[in-house]
Amino acid sequence: MLQSERMTLTEYRRKRNFSRISEPRPAVHQDDKTLIFVVQKHLASHLHYDFRLEMEGVLKSWAVPKGPSLDPSVKRLAMEVEDHPYDYKEFEGTIPEGNYGAGKVIVWDTGIYASEKMRDGSKELLRDLHRGKLSIVLLGRKLKGAFSLVRTPREDKEGNRRQWLLIKKDDQYASDADITKDDSSVLSDTHLPDPDRRG
Ligand code: MN
């Protein structure tokens, strides 16, 4: 394992007390040919969707407040957050009060994905990540087809550029239907309704 790979889960580890939560412990997944993605719906202090892409044995992660859209005219804000361990792809449940991200989590969608260019796979994705423009194709249960993730020039107080936009590309899977109306898990029969959509 490379030192740089081990380092990527440092922030994940620092934020959590693993004796008090059931979230996966930090560990780097051994590389194989298939790359997975997962979208978790997370009802923490603010509802958001966690969009995660497997890269270099961890899950690169973005918090998307409004969730993904299948409408190519819609740009969804996606805030880059700390890498999560590969095993997080199956995490559902409740993070107890007083812990980082306290609240309910479901696996809203998961599947495999690839670089749209698909020349040298993983290496190309990492290069594009650092350049701030990813073109990917998702093959999930709810999300299918081509998407782009584009980093904006906006800097936060620490001078980091963590703000990205998640945009559906126009293809046969594009639609103006609101896909977030489906509040079900793809791994269990759990539903996680929006707090402001009840009633
Ligand atoms: Mn989250």
Side-chain angles (χ1 to χ4, degrees), residues 49 62-68 74-80 149 152 154 162-167:
Y49 293 72
W62 291 261
V64 184
K66 291 184 176 171
V74 171
K75 297 177 171 68
R76 285 285 154 86
L77 176 66
M79 295 302 293
E80 194 178 331
L149 257 172
T152 78
R154 192 193 179 112
R162 295 167 75 108
Q163 181 179 297
W164 296 61
L165 298 171
L166 176 64
I167 309 160

Side-chain angles (χ1 to χ4, degrees), residues 42 48 50 52:
H42 186 181
H48 61 274
D50 290 297
R52 310 188 196 280

